[in-house]
Amino acid sequence: MSSAVEHTDVLVVGSGFGGAITAYHLAAGGAKVTVLERGPWLESSEFEHDYKLGSSYTRAFDFVVGNGMSVLGGNCVGGGSVVYFAAMPRAPRFIFDRHGSIGRRMWPAAISRGTLDPWYDRVAESLSITKQEWSDVSYAGGLWAAACDHTGRTANPLPVAVDNSKCVNCNWMMAGCRFEAKQSLLVNYLPAALAHGAEIRPLHEVQHISRTPDGDYRVHYNVVHDEDYRIHNGNGVIEAKIVVIAAGAAATPVILQRSEATLGIMPRSVGRYFSGNGERLNTAVINEDKAAELLGLDRGDGVAYAANHIGKGPTVANWDRLDGSLPEYSRYSLEQLYFPPGLGTILAQVPDATGPSWFGTGKKELLRRWKSWLTIFTMIEDDNEGVFGPPPATGNAHRISQQMLGRGNLSYSPAKTTIRAWEQSDAEVKEILEKDGLAEVMPWTNDLVGAYTVHPLASCRMGDDPHTSALDDRNELRGHPGIFVTDGSAVPGALTVNPAMTIAALAERAVPGIVQAARDKGVAVSYGAPAPDGSRGGRKSVLPLLPSLARR
């Protein structure tokens, strides 16, 4: 056990987009910054191309099974950016006007697509985001685009944070990129934060926060064993003037719930209104002969497709339903996605099966044809149905296995609006891919783990109404000045697209207010650092916005 209480200016919990971005700017501005990350620190050479226990695949993930919802997230230095597929679209304009279940605009009045665009620009400059050309897309992306065209729909190459000159199309990017082609935070914001003096401590899991007599904060943590995450190797306390919580939408509310005993009453919305970003998966088994006949596809060797495992993550999406004139809950995107073996092979169902469809002889045949799979990822507008129950004794979940697997206290019962939206998107995927016998399609089962998400959102969301939002429009926790939340839990609801770009933009936007709060507490810190590589174009575009964001 650590005997002495340490001190820092700013304590950042988590090193994903919300943590790395804030840590970099505050360190570059002159503050003493300490980052506590519960997962390991993996170098590029440690990202392995297998699924063995103890590999990067199990060490870098956190899979928490709840009641009706399971969450797959990052658990390493760099957080979700290490295990994401680097798809970086901006949220559609209509998203910011959503009402959801509360009968009024969910997002703060100060935030719209127009006001967030300068912050999106800052992220694009920092992560070198580019829109892929058709020559960059994977075989799977090309097949999805051709199928969309075959049914009179459109297809769009995705903007991504990938350096295509380094990408070898190995399709292992979900378990970390050993070639540093994927622009995770390990190659931009985090090295820049370290260069400015920030300290990053892996395997440090924050348990709760308390208050000092003079109004600062004490952050209490456990040190996690580097192989068996169920074992703790000690604990400690760090005092900080400012705390930035960015532990992820499945862990941030748990830390705050556990802190209520020492900090006082939390806003009602802490641990409520969780969104799984409306996510759902369908697996299609492609008829190779039909792919050649109907779509004219040929890889050059007489094979039409059979390339599920070749390429990269998502490269092509259908955005025909991202139309602001459509009613809420009827808007969604359909995105080609490579989901690697493991969980995917368990949950993929047998098309047109009677009875249980995730095992048996039909499933064996389905797995035999895995090279001809095409997975389609749907992101609808869900209704923020998730609620976190009482926190476990330690961590964000009860650890079941040595790594990766836990049981959490999140309950999720999808509303009729959510179910209808899933059904509508499922029907459209089926219509596109089964036309003229191209494929057989079946949604993933919810029987084993409930609904599932790789993009948890909204469990401590921002907004204007204190009754339905835990944070104000600058990401500060209501009733607890000096505590800010900058991860996906701050996003008010489902986005209908991959959320990393929006999470990062909101974190960039939060920094001026955090800097001002630190200055008010006597920290000698300034705002104005360029992008991690020194670029300054994005800095200029946000200058007019700073006065309102730094208000106190």
Side-chain angles (χ1 to χ4, degrees), residues 21 41 59 79 115 140 211 337-338 341 422 448-449 502:
I21 289 171
W41 196 335
R59 293 182 69 197
T115 61
R211 192 173 275 111
L337 177 70
Y338 173 72
W422 277 335
L448 292 181
V449 296
T502 299

Side-chain angles (χ1 to χ4, degrees), residues 148-162:
C148 288
D149 181 68
H150 181 63
T151 55
R153 291 164 171 86
T154 67
N156 309 271
L158 284 164
V160 296
V162 175

